[in-house]
Amino acid sequence: MRIVALAGGIGGARFLRGLLAAVGPQDEITVIGNTGDDIHLYGLKVCPDLDTVMYTLGGGIHEEQGWGRADETWSIKAEMKEYGVGPEWFGLGDRDFATHLVRSQMLTAGYSLSQVTEALCVRWNPGVRLLPMSDDRVETHVRITDEQGTRAVHFQEYWVRLHAAVDAEAIIPVGADTAKPAPGVLEALAEADVILFPPSNPVVSIGTILAVPGIREAVAAAPAPVVGLSPIVGGAPVRGMADKVLAAVGVEATAEAVALNYGPDLIDGWLVDTADGHAVAAVEAAGIACRAVPLLMTDVEATAEMARTALALAEQVRHGS
């Protein structure tokens, strides 16, 4: 099978680890990674979601955090603080710094983000083909109102510094409207046997990928069945703050509402957790095949079973059963 997955950070990366455990060595997985979380810090290009996928699948992730490097040290950050250079709210460890230094050097030398990502993956051997959604600069910003008034902040500041404590009024993928899909993205979608939406944030992860002109259209037009897994379990996000950003786009934080927001023109199948079994009928009434199964990624085998179920549902959709 040729499987294409659209993925954000921690949730997407952990699902992909289960997907790799669920498929055979002959199957090919292409991951289209969100780059809307990218940020420039200390003069370096930081790609949190791409790196989280790369580290997780390559065996270098900090398992407890779900982001950053295992066995990390923080000497550079401490020295930057001594110089009075911030931001202090965003932590880059010494090992992580090396990745961003290599990436930034290669970008400065004229390589594209796709080429840089491919080169970084040579070291990590993630077992998938990892493509950025675009080589163009796209950054997700969040409109908020606080004691400083109404303003837009980078998504990383909203989540890491502000801890999403302020209501998100709007989500703006700055630069997405003029960005182009990275080389290989549209081809992978057109040639896929299955397209998966992991339980990543539907607004700032998968939603940002789909905001790049041509990608949503390619997913909708693809002959392959498209199956998504709900990031909402029992009316709340399993991890992160999907409820905050869903509210900003006028979508309820329920498994049913997220499926209907994607819509039957985009997805053919949808998995909800057993806690949300009541949503199955409404999702199916909208023309989307739906099943209720355990969706908590408690370990690799549980996640692999989720992936197998998603692939099985795709097969049922393909054969109209």
Side-chain angles (χ1 to χ4, degrees):
M1 281 188 298
R2 289 168 294 189
I3 303 167
V4 176
L6 278 59
I10 299 172
R14 289 182 172 170
F15 175 79
L16 291 167
R17 186 159 56 183
L19 178 62
L20 277 169
V23 301
Q26 73 281 3
D27 297 315
E28 300 174 4
I29 301 173
T30 298
V31 178
I32 302 171
N34 170 44
T35 59
D37 285 13
D38 291 6
I39 189 170
H40 285 76
L41 297 170
Y42 310 108
L44 303 177
K45 169 85 164 178
V46 180
C47 299
D49 283 6
L50 294 179
D51 291 345
T52 296
V53 170
M54 189 170 67
Y55 294 158
T56 299
L57 303 186
I61 198 72
H62 188 302
E63 287 290 347
E64 290 73 26
Q65 291 180 163
W67 55 269
R69 291 288 306 280
D71 303 316
E72 190 60 279
T73 54
W74 303 89
S75 300
I76 298 176
K77 185 180 181 186
E79 284 298 308
M80 298 297 278
K81 184 177 180 180
E82 291 298 321
Y83 282 112
V85 175
E88 291 183 23
W89 52 265
F90 198 98
L92 293 181
D94 301 334
R95 292 171 180 262
D96 207 17
F97 252 105
T99 299
H100 310 314
L101 282 167
V102 173
R103 176 185 292 115
S104 300
Q105 285 180 333
M106 291 187 70
L107 289 170
T108 300
Y111 292 95
S112 68
L113 183 59
S114 297
Q115 292 170 318
V116 174
T117 303
E118 183 179 4
L120 292 173
C121 284
V122 170
R123 174 189 175 180
W124 290 102
N125 190 25
V128 302
R129 182 188 182 202
L130 179 59
L131 303 176
M133 64 188 195
S134 178
D135 285 339
D136 299 318
R137 183 171 177 173
V138 179
E139 292 184 359
T140 301
H141 288 207
V142 182
R143 192 181 74 211
I144 62 170
T145 299
D146 59 10
E147 65 278 358
Q148 298 181 43
T150 299
R151 59 198 178 98
V153 298
H154 193 287
F155 171 73
Q156 294 293 347
E157 182 176 358
Y158 178 73
W159 175 233
V160 180
R161 187 176 77 83
L162 300 176
H163 304 294
V166 184
D167 288 342
E169 298 172 353
I171 309 297
I172 309 103
V174 178
D177 57 337
T178 57
K180 294 176 180 160
V185 166
L186 299 184
E187 292 82 356
L189 291 168
E191 296 168 4
D193 296 309
V194 179
I195 298 172
L196 297 176
F197 289 6
S200 296
N201 191 302
V203 180
V204 297
S205 292
I206 293 177
T208 303
I209 297 171
L210 295 172
V212 176
I215 295 184
R216 175 182 285 272
E217 294 79 2
V219 172
V226 181
V227 174
L229 297 91
S230 175
I232 305 295
V233 172
V238 176
R239 184 184 183 107
M241 59 337 148
D243 52 338
K244 291 278 191 176
V245 293
L246 281 167
V249 297
V251 178
E252 256 189 298
T254 67
E256 173 188 341
V258 174
L260 299 182
N261 186 57
Y262 283 134
D265 292 339
L266 195 63
I267 61 172
D268 304 296
W270 187 245
L271 295 182
V272 301
D273 188 78
T274 49
D276 299 304
H278 57 276
V280 171
V283 174
E284 293 214 315
I288 301 167
C290 188
R291 306 287 184 272
V293 297
L295 288 188
L296 294 180
M297 296 187 285
T298 51
D299 55 35
V300 174
E301 180 49 38
T303 310
E305 187 57 31
M306 290 166 51
R308 292 186 196 102
T309 306
L311 294 173
L313 180 56
E315 200 59 25
Q316 291 170 16
V317 167
R318 190 193 315 277
H319 295 293
S321 58

